Amino acid sequence: ETGVTQSPTHLIKTRGQQVTLRCSSQSGHNTVSWYQQALGQGPQFIFQYYREEENGRGNFPPRFSGLQFPNYSSELNVNALELDDSALYLCASSFNGQPQHFGDGTRLSIL
Amino acid sequence: GEDVEQSLFLSVREGDSSVINCTYTDSSSTYLYWYKQEPGAGLQLLTYIFSNMDMKQDQRLTVLLNKKDKHLSLRIADTQTGDSAIYFCAETLPQNNAGNMLTFGGGTRLMVKP
């Protein structure tokens, strides 16, 4: 059974740029959630995708957007990057409300 | 509202038991979770408990839930140096059958001394 995989592992961008992060869900899972974890803090929920539709959103601005594909993989897109967007971005997958399993995250640094 | 709180730090000696505590505010929580995060890694699901249960045991891990006080604890028996990590408590609220969003505490750093 393949777990949740995220790419890239590390990324450096500058303010104003755009970034796309990718996530492959665990085999058999149909729901993907994205979280932002700033240094020294707990993860904060960004949004969740189920059957290719957004299924709930946390307190993040519209420049954070996402997609889910028919194979349940997902992308997180962030436009107009700001310094405060520097964080570990975590993807989690699950099946119909069962516990979420996390990938190792993408470390995004904004210069 | 949603708020999950944990103490920041816990230090124990190898072989002792560790107890990590968590309080939450939303009484409609359905499931409560414990995740472990090692340096540079993602979150590993340790265990979870349904809100109508009082206790769950899984090998060295024991979860206790006091729903009246909205208090959750994780006890690790015979703590080992490999248990050193940050432990996160998280709750979910009823969303729909598709999935539940997690609200995390700030994490408790567990240090195990040899």
Side-chain angles (χ1 to χ4, degrees):
Chain A
E1 180 179 90
T2 306
V4 178
T5 58
Q6 294 187 242
S7 63
T9 53
H10 295 85
L11 201 51
I12 299 174
K13 291 284 188 178
T14 57
R15 278 184 300 172
Q17 285 189 311
Q18 178 265 342
V19 69
T20 298
L21 309 182
R22 295 180 175 83
C23 173
S24 293
S25 59
Q26 184 170 315
S27 176
H29 288 183
N30 58 9
T31 305
V32 173
S33 305
W34 287 91
Y35 295 83
Q36 181 196 66
Q37 186 179 21
L39 197 62
Q41 298 182 22
Q44 297 288 317
F45 174 75
I46 303 174
F47 43 56
Q48 182 179 85
Y49 279 83
Y50 172 67
R51 292 184 177 176
E52 302 178 55
E53 298 283 335
E54 189 178 286
N55 183 43
R57 189 179 184 92
N59 189 26
F60 280 81
R63 59 190 185 84
F64 285 78
S65 63
L67 285 172
Q68 186 181 32
F69 300 99
N71 66 354
Y72 305 121
S73 66
S74 177
E75 286 182 354
L76 164 66
N77 299 290
V78 188
N79 294 322
L81 286 165
E82 301 176 359
L83 292 177
D84 284 350
D85 296 333
S86 294
L88 180 68
Y89 288 84
L90 294 162
C91 170
S93 72
S94 58
F95 176 75
N96 288 2
Q98 293 181 8
Q100 296 179 28
H101 294 263
F102 285 78
D104 283 338
T106 294
R107 174 75 60 189
L108 177 63
S109 299
I110 311 300
L111 304 179
Chain B
E2 309 164 355
D3 198 11
V4 180
E5 294 189 355
Q6 303 178 236
S7 52
L8 286 176
F9 187 76
L10 176 65
S11 178
V12 300
R13 293 217 171 268
E14 191 174 20
D16 289 349
S17 292
S18 307
V19 179
I20 303 171
N21 295 302
C22 169
T23 58
Y24 61 98
T25 56
D26 201 312
S27 58
S28 59
S29 296
T30 51
Y31 284 94
L32 294 131
Y33 300 83
W34 285 103
Y35 283 88
K36 175 184 180 183
Q37 187 175 37
E38 299 186 65
L43 273 67
Q44 175 193 352
L45 176 66
L46 288 178
T47 187
Y48 61 98
I49 189 167
F50 189 51
S51 58
N52 69 351
M53 297 170 63
D54 297 325
M55 185 184 88
K56 181 178 180 181
Q57 186 153 3
D58 184 359
Q59 299 182 335
R60 291 192 297 125
L61 305 179
T62 303
V63 178
L64 294 177
L65 175 60
N66 182 329
K67 198 168 182 183
K68 174 176 171 288
D69 295 337
K70 299 189 184 70
H71 182 265
L72 182 73
S73 68
L74 174 69
R75 178 178 180 269
I76 306 173
D78 186 26
T79 313
Q80 302 296 307
T81 54
D83 294 325
S84 293
I86 300 176
Y87 290 80
F88 290 96
C89 163
E91 64 174 348
T92 57
L93 302 175
Q95 186 68 16
N96 53 42
N97 290 330
N100 297 305
M101 296 164 227
L102 293 168
T103 299
F104 286 89
T108 299
R109 181 177 295 275
L110 174 64
M111 178 180 290
V112 183
K113 298 178 182 177

